[in-house]
Coordinates of all heavy atoms in Angstrom, one line a residue:
G77 N 0.8 -1.2 0.0 CA 0.0 0.0 0.0 C 0.8 1.2 0.0 O 2.1 1.2 0.1
A78 N 0.2 2.4 -0.1 CA 0.9 3.7 -0.3 C 0.6 4.6 0.8 O 0.9 5.8 0.7 CB 0.4 4.3 -1.6
A79 N 0.2 4.1 2.0 CA -0.1 5.0 3.1 C 1.2 5.8 3.5 O 1.1 7.0 3.8 CB -0.6 4.2 4.3
E80 N 2.3 5.2 3.5 CA 3.5 5.9 3.9 C 3.9 7.0 2.9 O 4.6 7.9 3.3 CB 4.7 4.9 4.0 CG 4.7 4.0 5.3 CD 5.9 3.2 5.4 OE1 6.6 3.0 4.4 OE2 6.2 2.8 6.6
L81 N 3.5 6.9 1.7 CA 3.9 7.8 0.7 C 3.4 9.2 0.8 O 3.7 10.1 0.1 CB 3.6 7.3 -0.7 CG 4.1 5.8 -1.0 CD1 3.9 5.5 -2.4 CD2 5.5 5.7 -0.6
R82 N 2.4 9.4 1.8 CA 1.9 10.7 2.0 C 3.0 11.6 2.6 O 2.8 12.8 2.5 CB 0.7 10.7 2.9 CG -0.5 9.9 2.4 CD -1.7 10.0 3.3 NE -2.8 9.1 2.9 CZ -3.1 8.0 3.5 NH1 -2.4 7.6 4.5 NH2 -4.0 7.2 3.1
D83 N 4.0 11.1 3.2 CA 5.1 11.8 3.7 C 6.0 12.2 2.5 O 6.6 11.4 1.9 CB 5.9 10.9 4.7 CG 7.0 11.7 5.4 OD1 7.4 12.7 4.9 OD2 7.3 11.3 6.6
S84 N 6.1 13.6 2.3 CA 6.8 14.1 1.2 C 8.3 13.8 1.3 O 9.0 14.0 0.3 CB 6.5 15.6 1.0 OG 7.0 16.3 2.1
Q85 N 8.8 13.5 2.5 CA 10.2 13.2 2.6 C 10.6 11.8 2.4 O 11.7 11.3 2.7 CB 10.6 13.7 4.0 CG 10.5 15.2 4.3 CD 11.1 15.6 5.6 OE1 12.0 14.9 6.1 NE2 10.8 16.8 6.0
L86 N 9.6 11.0 1.9 CA 9.9 9.6 1.6 C 9.8 9.4 0.1 O 9.0 10.1 -0.6 CB 8.9 8.6 2.3 CG 8.9 8.7 3.8 CD1 7.9 7.7 4.3 CD2 10.3 8.3 4.4
V87 N 10.5 8.5 -0.5 CA 10.4 8.1 -1.9 C 10.1 6.6 -1.9 O 10.6 5.8 -1.0 CB 11.6 8.4 -2.7 CG1 11.8 9.9 -2.8 CG2 12.9 7.8 -2.1
A88 N 9.4 6.1 -2.9 CA 9.1 4.7 -2.9 C 9.2 4.2 -4.3 O 8.9 4.8 -5.3 CB 7.7 4.4 -2.4
R89 N 9.7 2.9 -4.4 CA 9.8 2.3 -5.7 C 8.8 1.1 -5.7 O 9.0 0.2 -4.9 CB 11.2 1.8 -6.0 CG 11.3 1.1 -7.4 CD 12.7 1.0 -7.8 NE 12.8 0.3 -9.1 CZ 14.0 0.0 -9.6 NH1 15.1 0.3 -9.1 NH2 14.0 -0.7 -10.8
P90 N 7.9 1.0 -6.6 CA 7.0 -0.2 -6.6 C 7.8 -1.4 -7.1 O 8.5 -1.4 -8.0 CB 5.9 0.2 -7.7 CG 6.5 1.3 -8.5 CD 7.5 2.0 -7.6
L91 N 7.6 -2.5 -6.3 CA 8.3 -3.8 -6.6 C 7.4 -4.7 -7.4 O 7.9 -5.4 -8.3 CB 8.7 -4.4 -5.3 CG 9.8 -3.7 -4.5 CD1 10.0 -4.4 -3.1 CD2 11.1 -3.5 -5.2
C92 N 6.1 -4.8 -7.0 CA 5.2 -5.7 -7.7 C 3.8 -5.5 -7.3 O 3.6 -4.7 -6.3 CB 5.6 -7.2 -7.4 SG 5.2 -7.7 -5.7
T93 N 2.9 -6.1 -7.9 CA 1.5 -6.0 -7.5 C 1.0 -7.4 -7.2 O 1.5 -8.4 -7.8 CB 0.6 -5.4 -8.6 OG1 0.6 -6.1 -9.8 CG2 1.0 -4.0 -8.8
T94 N 0.1 -7.6 -6.3 CA -0.5 -8.9 -6.0 C -1.9 -8.7 -5.5 O -2.4 -7.5 -5.5 CB 0.4 -9.6 -4.9 OG1 -0.1 -10.9 -4.7 CG2 0.4 -8.8 -3.6
R95 N -2.6 -9.7 -5.1 CA -3.9 -9.6 -4.5 C -4.0 -10.5 -3.3 O -3.3 -11.5 -3.1 CB -5.0 -10.1 -5.6 CG -5.2 -9.1 -6.7 CD -6.3 -9.6 -7.6 NE -6.6 -8.7 -8.7 CZ -7.5 -7.7 -8.6 NH1 -8.2 -7.5 -7.5 NH2 -7.6 -6.9 -9.7
R96 N -5.0 -10.1 -2.5 CA -5.3 -11.0 -1.3 C -6.1 -12.2 -1.8 O -6.8 -12.1 -2.8 CB -6.1 -10.2 -0.3 CG -5.3 -9.1 0.4 CD -6.1 -8.4 1.4 NE -6.2 -9.1 2.7 CZ -6.8 -8.6 3.8 NH1 -7.4 -7.4 3.7 NH2 -6.9 -9.3 4.9
V97 N -6.0 -13.3 -1.1 CA -6.7 -14.5 -1.5 C -7.3 -15.1 -0.2 O -6.6 -15.2 0.8 CB -5.8 -15.5 -2.2 CG1 -4.6 -15.9 -1.4 CG2 -6.6 -16.7 -2.6
A98 N -8.5 -15.5 -0.2 CA -9.1 -16.3 0.9 C -8.7 -17.7 0.8 O -8.7 -18.3 -0.3 CB -10.6 -16.2 0.8
C99 N -8.2 -18.3 1.9 CA -7.7 -19.7 1.9 C -7.9 -20.3 3.2 O -8.0 -19.6 4.3 CB -6.3 -19.7 1.4 SG -5.1 -18.6 2.2
A100 N -7.9 -21.6 3.2 CA -8.1 -22.4 4.5 C -7.4 -23.7 4.3 O -7.1 -24.2 3.2 CB -9.6 -22.5 4.8
A101 N -7.2 -24.4 5.5 CA -6.6 -25.7 5.5 C -7.6 -26.8 5.0 O -8.8 -26.6 5.2 CB -6.0 -26.0 6.9
P102 N -7.1 -27.8 4.4 CA -8.0 -28.9 4.0 C -8.8 -29.4 5.2 O -10.0 -29.8 5.0 CB -7.0 -30.0 3.4 CG -5.8 -29.2 3.0 CD -5.7 -28.1 3.9
A103 N -8.2 -29.5 6.4 CA -8.9 -30.0 7.5 C -10.1 -29.1 7.9 O -11.2 -29.7 8.2 CB -8.0 -30.2 8.7
Y104 N -10.0 -27.8 7.8 CA -11.1 -26.9 8.1 C -12.2 -27.1 7.1 O -13.4 -27.2 7.4 CB -10.6 -25.5 8.1 CG -11.7 -24.5 8.3 CD1 -12.2 -24.1 9.5 CD2 -12.4 -23.9 7.1 CE1 -13.2 -23.2 9.7 CE2 -13.4 -23.0 7.3 CZ -13.8 -22.7 8.6 OH -14.9 -21.8 8.7
L105 N -11.8 -27.2 5.8 CA -12.8 -27.3 4.7 C -13.6 -28.6 4.8 O -14.8 -28.7 4.6 CB -12.2 -27.2 3.4 CG -11.5 -25.8 3.1 CD1 -10.7 -25.8 1.8 CD2 -12.5 -24.7 3.2
Q106 N -12.9 -29.7 5.2 CA -13.5 -31.0 5.4 C -14.5 -30.9 6.6 O -15.6 -31.5 6.5 CB -12.4 -32.0 5.7 CG -12.9 -33.4 5.6 CD -11.8 -34.4 5.6 OE1 -10.8 -34.2 6.4 NE2 -11.8 -35.5 4.8
R107 N -14.2 -30.1 7.6 CA -15.0 -30.0 8.8 C -16.2 -29.1 8.6 O -17.3 -29.3 9.0 CB -14.2 -29.6 9.9 CG -14.9 -29.6 11.3 CD -13.9 -29.3 12.4 NE -13.5 -27.9 12.4 CZ -12.3 -27.4 12.1 NH1 -11.4 -28.3 11.8 NH2 -12.0 -26.2 12.2
R108 N -16.0 -27.9 7.8 CA -17.0 -26.9 7.8 C -17.5 -26.7 6.4 O -18.5 -25.9 6.2 CB -16.3 -25.5 8.2 CG -15.9 -25.5 9.7 CD -17.1 -25.5 10.6 NE -17.9 -24.3 10.4 CZ -17.7 -23.1 11.0 NH1 -16.7 -23.0 11.8 NH2 -18.5 -22.1 10.7
G109 N -17.0 -27.3 5.3 CA -17.4 -27.1 4.0 C -16.7 -26.0 3.3 O -16.0 -25.1 3.9
T110 N -16.8 -26.0 2.0 CA -16.0 -25.0 1.1 C -17.0 -23.9 0.6 O -17.9 -24.2 -0.1 CB -15.3 -25.7 0.0 OG1 -14.4 -26.7 0.4 CG2 -14.6 -24.7 -0.9
P111 N -16.8 -22.6 0.9 CA -17.6 -21.6 0.4 C -17.4 -21.4 -1.1 O -16.3 -21.5 -1.6 CB -17.2 -20.3 1.2 CG -15.7 -20.6 1.6 CD -15.7 -22.1 1.8
T112 N -18.5 -21.2 -1.8 CA -18.5 -21.0 -3.2 C -18.8 -19.6 -3.7 O -18.7 -19.3 -4.8 CB -19.5 -22.0 -3.9 OG1 -20.8 -21.7 -3.4 CG2 -19.1 -23.4 -3.6
H113 N -19.3 -18.8 -2.7 CA -19.6 -17.4 -3.0 C -19.1 -16.5 -1.8 O -19.2 -17.0 -0.6 CB -21.1 -17.2 -3.2 CG -21.5 -15.8 -3.7 ND1 -21.5 -14.7 -2.9 CD2 -21.8 -15.4 -5.0 CE1 -21.9 -13.7 -3.7 NE2 -22.0 -14.1 -4.9
P114 N -18.6 -15.3 -2.0 CA -18.1 -14.5 -0.9 C -19.1 -14.3 0.3 O -18.7 -14.3 1.4 CB -17.7 -13.2 -1.5 CG -17.4 -13.5 -2.9 CD -18.3 -14.7 -3.3
R115 N -20.4 -14.2 -0.1 CA -21.4 -14.0 1.0 C -21.5 -15.2 2.0 O -21.9 -15.1 3.1 CB -22.8 -13.8 0.4 CG -22.9 -12.5 -0.4 CD -24.3 -12.1 -0.6 NE -24.5 -10.9 -1.4 CZ -24.5 -10.7 -2.7 NH1 -24.4 -11.8 -3.4 NH2 -24.6 -9.6 -3.3
E116 N -21.0 -16.4 1.5 CA -21.0 -17.6 2.4 C -20.0 -17.5 3.5 O -20.0 -18.3 4.5 CB -20.8 -18.8 1.6 CG -22.0 -19.1 0.6 CD -21.7 -20.3 -0.3 OE1 -20.8 -21.2 0.1 OE2 -22.3 -20.5 -1.3
L117 N -19.1 -16.5 3.4 CA -18.1 -16.4 4.4 C -18.7 -16.0 5.8 O -18.1 -16.2 6.8 CB -17.0 -15.3 4.0 CG -16.1 -15.6 2.8 CD1 -15.3 -14.4 2.4 CD2 -15.2 -16.8 3.2
A118 N -19.9 -15.4 5.7 CA -20.6 -15.0 7.0 C -20.9 -16.3 7.8 O -21.0 -16.1 9.1 CB -21.9 -14.3 6.7
Q119 N -20.9 -17.5 7.2 CA -21.2 -18.7 8.0 C -19.9 -19.4 8.4 O -19.9 -20.5 9.0 CB -22.0 -19.7 7.2 CG -23.5 -19.3 7.1 CD -23.8 -18.2 6.2 OE1 -23.4 -18.2 5.0 NE2 -24.5 -17.2 6.7

């Protein structure tokens, strides 16, 4: 993120872009099931 870059006395070089990913262990999914839609995360 770029929160630190609001400080004019700092310079920054972008290294890469990525995304967050929702993930879980196989044991958890076996026990609770695998969500197929983001709204199912509420359960």
Side-chain angles (χ1 to χ4, degrees):
E80 286 188 336
L81 307 187
R82 298 190 189 102
D83 188 333
S84 62
Q85 295 190 20
L86 299 179
V87 294
R89 178 163 179 186
L91 295 174
C92 70
T93 60
T94 186
R95 287 184 179 270
R96 294 178 78 175
V97 58
C99 49
Y104 174 87
L105 299 175
Q106 194 171 38
R107 187 173 73 249
R108 296 288 301 271
T110 301
T112 59
H113 192 281
R115 291 194 181 92
E116 295 177 19
L117 293 172
Q119 282 74 55

